[in-house]
Amino acid sequence: MMKTIGSLMLALMLVATVYAAEDVVTAIHGTITKVDSTTKTIAVKTADGTEHSLHFVDKTTVHGADASAAAAKDSWHGLKEGTEVVAHYTTRGTEDTAVEFDKVGKDGLKATDGAIKDIDRGTKTLVVKTADGTEQTFRLTGRASEDAGKDIAKGSEKGAKVTVYYTEDAGKKVAHFFEKI
């Protein structure tokens, strides 16, 4: 009886681990190439030419999009073809589901380039030295702390050249995403 219970517990733990691993949020930066409200998908093409098809759901959030454009036939919540975005998504099986879209540019996330001087994912802070020598300190969102900058090898973050996508809240810069350049 104990062997059966032990085996069942082990099986349940393995299933839970698989599902937890599938809920990891990944982020990509690119340009929307297609919005299809019928199939609830948005295609995003990254700089390397890869096109990602992301499903959106009722819980998918959009930051920085123009609310007046939300009702436009060729857009979804103000996102349309040609919009530059950072898309955060999860993968379950073969389906990528968008958790959040951050519009980049006018009325959306601002961007700045620089070299990482310090990064502390525990305290969620990032310090970047810009080309003019000034240092900018950013508070990392939970998603940025966990996911952003994965393309930078651990231990070699300092000095890495990055683009930081951020908003300003009460005079503080909040980084939503950063990537190696």
Side-chain angles (χ1 to χ4, degrees), residues 106-128:
K106 186 179 179 215
D107 301 324
L109 300 181
K110 299 174 185 176
T112 193
D113 294 336
I116 295 177
K117 181 173 181 191
D118 189 40
I119 183 169
D120 187 335
R121 292 182 190 273
T123 61
K124 298 181 180 176
T125 56
L126 170 67
V127 180
V128 174

Side-chain angles (χ1 to χ4, degrees), residues 12-178:
L12 288 172
M13 287 173 36
L14 289 173
V15 169
T17 302
V18 168
Y19 277 108
E22 289 180 348
D23 287 338
V24 172
V25 176
T26 303
I28 55 170
H29 172 226
T31 304
I32 294 176
T33 57
K34 184 177 181 181
V35 177
D36 188 335
S37 296
T38 305
T39 61
K40 293 188 171 188
T41 57
I42 292 180
V44 178
K45 188 173 188 177
T46 60
D48 68 2
T50 305
E51 191 158 273
H52 299 264
S53 181
L54 307 172
H55 293 270
F56 55 86
V57 294
D58 293 339
K59 296 188 303 185
T60 303
T61 58
V62 178
H63 297 122
D66 181 7
S68 64
K73 184 178 179 186
D74 62 344
S75 75
W76 180 75
H77 291 276
L79 299 176
K80 57 186 177 182
E81 286 184 24
T83 303
E84 182 182 359
V85 295
V86 172
H88 305 267
Y89 66 95
T90 61
T91 301
R92 187 152 289 174
T94 60
E95 185 172 295
D96 295 334
T97 302
V99 175
E100 174 181 315
F101 287 99
D102 297 318
K103 181 181 174 194
V104 177
K106 186 179 179 215
D107 301 324
L109 300 181
K110 299 174 185 176
T112 193
D113 294 336
I116 295 177
K117 181 173 181 191
D118 189 40
I119 183 169
D120 187 335
R121 292 182 190 273
T123 61
K124 298 181 180 176
T125 56
L126 170 67
V127 180
V128 174
K129 188 171 185 176
T130 61
D132 66 4
T134 60
E135 291 181 8
Q136 296 186 27
T137 301
F138 300 88
R139 183 177 60 80
L140 297 171
T141 64
R143 283 201 181 96
S145 176
E146 294 171 16
D147 183 60
K150 283 185 178 176
D151 54 348
I152 304 168
K154 193 164 184 106
S156 67
E157 294 99 342
K158 289 186 181 179
K161 303 244 186 262
V162 295
T163 299
V164 181
Y165 299 94
Y166 68 97
T167 57
E168 292 191 52
D169 184 20
K172 306 268 185 196
K173 294 181 179 181
V174 179
H176 292 258
F177 180 72
F178 63 94

Side-chain angles (χ1 to χ4, degrees), residues 2-12:
M2 290 304 282
K3 278 186 172 180
T4 304
I5 292 173
S7 296
L8 183 59
M9 292 299 289
L10 179 62
L12 288 172

